[in-house]
């Protein structure tokens, strides 16, 4: 095991992957590339959705918010993770730890609800196509996004504050690479059964409830398409919902494995790698999924590039 520099008194020590120094070098490269792709990909989706009038629809309004959440979510984790992976200091200040915990928990919780909102939008588009514009009006879209943000921030203020107020009796070694609620709770020197119950209940509300709504939405979509019995309808539904369903699978498949799994296995490397997937890798893949599988986004990008070339030609 490599020696972790603990000279900064009062700081938390993020043990992370320090048991595997060779792995840290590989992870540094992977995280750096993933973070750069996340910055470029999500920023591109936000700009394209805002600049192209053809994408001023509820679906891309929600997608813009999802990209913004992913951008901020990864930024709250990746820069400090890269610093720790590259250098001998595996520390984070109490203030930095609190900021990271609040930011990542708020953004992750918001994304859970936002993905459910996007599933409802796809349900309205496929099952109520003639009334879609009436159902998904701008005020409702803004309210749904506001609800997603408020639920994420509200959950964070409750869970984060309770977690940080737990007495730690000098325990500073966090057996993880980020300040996350399950890892921080483990530092407490008092009975944490009530906190574990609270964490589990919050996971049920903010993970399983939105996931249930997503499954119900796609169940209704599948029934509607099967009644049509048309290959073209199947292709249209797959094109409309395929990207979102793939993103849901990646995000929920990883985050539920961390927050619903038994507490006794959380501190092991398996939990760290799964956390790495939904905090760094998944936000990188989301823009690729939505651009490679989406003709509207590719068409909008082509129109913007052609417009830019035309403007440059006029200047010449």
């Amino acid at each position: 095991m490599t020696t972790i520099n603990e000279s900064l008194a009062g700081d938390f020590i993020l043990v992370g992957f320090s048991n595997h120094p060779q792995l840290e070098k590989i992870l540094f490269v992977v995280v750096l590339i993933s973070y750069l792709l996340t910055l470029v990909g999500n920023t591109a989706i936000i700009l394209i959705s805002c600049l192209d009038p053809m994408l001023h629809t509820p679906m891309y309004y929600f997608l813009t918010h999802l990209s913004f959440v992913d951008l901020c979510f990864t930024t709250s984790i990746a820069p400090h993770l890269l610093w720790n992976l590259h250098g001998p200091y595996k520390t984070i200040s109490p203030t930095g730890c609190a900021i990271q915990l609040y930011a990542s928990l708020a953004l992750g919780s918001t994304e859970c609800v936002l993905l459910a909102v996007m599933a409802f939008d796809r349900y309205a588009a496929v099952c109520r196509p003639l009334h879609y514009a009436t159902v998904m009006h701008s005020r409702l879209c803004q309210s749904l996004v506001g609800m997603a943000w408020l639920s994420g921030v509200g959950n964070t203020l409750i869970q984060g504050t309770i977690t940080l107020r737990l007495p730690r009796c000098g325990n500073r070694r966090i057996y993880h690479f980020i300040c996350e609620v399950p890892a921080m709770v483990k530092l407490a020197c008092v009975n944490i059964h009530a906190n574990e119950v609270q964490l589990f209940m919050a996971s049920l509300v903010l993970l399983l409830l939105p996931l249930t709504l997503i499954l119900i939405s796609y169940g209704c979509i599948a029934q509607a398409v099967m009644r049509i019995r048309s290959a073209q309808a199947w292709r249209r539904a797959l094109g409309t919902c395929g990207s979102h369903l793939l993103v849901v699978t990646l995000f929920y498949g990883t985050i539920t494995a961390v927050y619903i799994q038994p507490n006794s296995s959380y501190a092991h490397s398996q939990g760290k790698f799964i956390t790495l997937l939904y905090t760094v890798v998944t936000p990188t893949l989301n823009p690729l999924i939505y651009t490679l599988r989406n003709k509207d986004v590719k068409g909008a990008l082509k129109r913007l590039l052609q417009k830019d070339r035309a403007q440059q030609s006029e200047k010449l």
Side-chain angles (χ1 to χ4, degrees):
M1 179 177 178
T2 57
T3 302
I4 302 174
N5 195 316
E6 303 184 17
S7 60
L8 300 178
D11 287 353
F12 289 107
I13 302 159
L14 295 170
V15 177
F17 303 97
S18 57
N19 290 342
H20 311 283
Q22 294 302 317
L23 179 62
E24 282 189 317
K25 297 177 182 179
I26 298 173
L27 288 177
F28 177 83
V29 175
V30 172
V31 173
L32 178 60
I33 295 174
S34 297
Y35 182 51
L36 293 176
L37 290 175
T38 298
L39 293 178
V40 174
N42 286 289
T43 302
I45 286 182
I46 294 172
L47 291 176
I48 292 171
S49 299
C50 293
L51 295 176
D52 194 305
M54 298 290 290
L55 299 184
H56 291 175
T57 62
M59 175 180 174
Y60 293 101
Y61 175 72
F62 297 135
L63 179 58
T64 300
H65 279 270
L66 179 65
S67 295
F68 179 72
V69 168
D70 281 339
L71 196 62
C72 297
F73 186 36
T74 307
T75 299
S76 70
I77 295 168
H80 196 274
L81 174 58
L82 288 170
W83 175 263
N84 285 349
L85 288 173
H86 185 262
Y89 293 99
K90 315 293 184 184
T91 59
I92 185 170
S93 68
T95 301
C97 185
I99 292 173
Q100 186 180 75
L101 185 144
Y102 277 117
S104 60
L105 183 58
L107 293 163
S109 302
T110 300
E111 182 159 350
C112 290
V113 181
L114 191 57
L115 288 173
V117 169
M118 294 176 73
F120 173 73
D121 173 67
R122 293 302 83 210
Y123 160 78
V126 175
C127 299
R128 299 289 186 270
L130 299 179
H131 305 284
Y132 178 70
T134 304
V135 173
M136 301 302 297
H137 53 83
S138 59
R139 184 173 297 179
L140 177 63
C141 293
Q142 293 170 2
S143 299
L144 291 173
V145 168
M147 178 189 68
W149 281 101
L150 285 175
S151 61
V153 172
N155 172 62
T156 300
L157 291 176
I158 296 172
Q159 278 203 72
T161 302
I162 292 175
T163 300
L164 292 175
R165 288 171 66 92
L166 286 172
R168 291 183 288 271
C169 302
N171 295 329
R172 298 185 294 121
R173 296 175 70 87
I174 302 174
Y175 289 91
H176 212 308
F177 60 86
I178 60 172
C179 293
E180 196 173 36
V181 171
M184 295 293 293
V185 167
K186 293 295 183 184
L187 298 182
C189 56
V190 294
N191 191 327
I192 59 172
H193 177 70
N195 299 85
E196 290 176 339
V197 172
Q198 175 220 348
L199 176 61
F200 181 73
M201 295 303 297
S203 300
L204 289 179
V205 174
L206 284 169
L207 287 175
L208 297 187
L209 181 58
L211 182 59
T212 301
L213 296 176
I214 291 171
L215 294 176
I216 292 173
S217 297
Y218 278 103
C220 294
I221 291 172
Q223 288 182 344
V225 174
M226 289 178 67
R227 282 197 298 266
I228 298 174
R229 298 182 182 278
S230 167
Q232 184 178 1
W234 274 102
R235 286 193 296 269
R236 191 185 307 117
L238 183 61
T240 303
C241 308
S243 299
H244 178 254
L245 193 56
L246 187 55
V247 168
V248 167
T249 302
L250 287 171
F251 182 76
Y252 275 98
T254 52
I255 197 170
T256 52
V258 171
Y259 279 85
I260 306 298
Q261 72 174 348
N263 289 325
S264 59
S265 65
Y266 181 81
H268 296 298
S269 59
Q270 182 183 3
K272 298 175 188 176
F273 281 111
I274 295 175
T275 302
L276 194 65
L277 287 176
Y278 75 78
T279 56
V280 177
V281 178
T282 300
T284 304
L285 297 177
N286 287 355
L288 297 176
I289 292 170
Y290 277 107
T291 53
L292 294 177
R293 293 183 54 86
N294 195 306
K295 294 180 180 179
D296 293 338
V297 175
K298 289 188 286 187
L301 181 59
K302 184 183 294 185
R303 287 191 296 272
L304 290 174
L305 291 175
Q306 289 175 347
K307 182 179 180 180
D308 183 61
R309 290 173 183 172
Q311 291 176 346
Q312 289 181 354
S313 299
E314 291 177 0
K315 291 180 181 180
L316 295 175

